[in-house]
Amino acid sequence: MLAAFPALAQTDKQIERASAWKARLTEHIAGNRLLAIERRGQAGHAKVTFVIDRSGKLKSRTLVESTGSRQLDVALVAIFDHAQPFPEPPSELTEDMFSFTVPLVFAGRHFDVVPYGLAASVPTPAFAASDAMDAWRKTVTEQVWRNRMFPPEAIGQRANAGVTFVIDRSGKLISNALVESTGFAPLDAATLAMVERSAPFPKPPAGAPDDLQRMTVLMMFDGTSPGQSNGWSWAEDEAKIKAKLKGVCRGC
């Protein structure tokens, strides 16, 4: 069928490559996240727009949302200078220049790219579809996190868990399975149950290239801290799992 409709196949490939490239750009920026020593120990958020060419060379960078500290603003913008060259775009994306806006959160010694935060400033159809998929995955992840429940028998336990699940175009849960066991049966069962409680999910965007979407979500269970037994909010867990989340929750 794709052979009969080559334009459709090319569009799907562009969306897939655009999404994968954005993920590499995010990881590349996060890999250059150390702040200057004199800027450490501060906290806040900012937003930077940057433009690169086909060779990955930085053409411009602009602070579009300030941290409130001029010195910290300068330090964050300088990181983009140090991060070049950036990963080159795939051949399926034919533009000469690419512009992105990225939200950043920072605390202590480094900053992090907000999950699913990197978006094309001037979206082509491929980038628009990729951005829509990223936003959908973020919504699905948040929906799962809101449905967490800590089993009483696991009080005092602390462990990481990972679950992969498949969603069809109607938002129906097709399957779910552990990809990282906690090593404790009640927590493993709670991990699977939270996905089942979250169904049905929002429908994937109309431009989604596949009929079935696979998601992987990681989380940290902590029954050792006061107030943790009744579940957690997005904000409380975000800092703890962000390092793992970047690598896998964009869909595996």
Side-chain angles (χ1 to χ4, degrees), residues 53-165:
D53 64 15
R54 293 202 62 82
S55 69
K57 182 179 179 181
L58 181 68
K59 306 303 291 185
S60 68
R61 74 281 186 279
T62 306
L63 188 75
V64 294
E65 185 174 323
S66 173
T67 64
S69 165
R70 177 174 176 78
Q71 292 80 9
L72 193 53
D73 288 347
V74 171
L76 285 176
V77 169
I79 287 174
F80 286 79
D81 296 330
H82 301 151
Q84 63 176 320
F86 291 84
E88 296 181 12
S91 59
E92 287 80 6
L93 302 177
T94 59
E95 292 81 0
D96 292 327
M97 297 287 178
F98 301 88
S99 177
F100 296 95
T101 298
V102 54
L104 308 168
V105 292
F106 53 94
R109 300 179 64 250
H110 63 266
F111 73 84
D112 281 302
V113 179
V114 175
Y116 308 106
L118 185 67
S121 302
V122 184
T124 63
F127 278 124
S130 177
D131 289 343
M133 286 299 298
D134 284 348
W136 175 76
R137 292 187 181 110
K138 179 178 183 291
T139 299
V140 169
T141 301
E142 291 174 329
Q143 183 162 317
V144 170
W145 286 357
R146 286 195 299 270
N147 281 279
R148 288 168 297 179
M149 291 182 64
F150 198 94
E153 60 269 34
I155 297 298
Q157 298 286 331
R158 184 177 184 179
N160 295 325
V163 59
T164 289
F165 51 100

Side-chain angles (χ1 to χ4, degrees), residues 9-24:
Q10 179 68 10
T11 299
D12 287 351
K13 184 179 291 186
Q14 286 179 329
I15 295 171
E16 180 181 349
R17 294 295 182 88
S19 182
W21 182 46
K22 282 167 55 181
R24 290 197 300 274

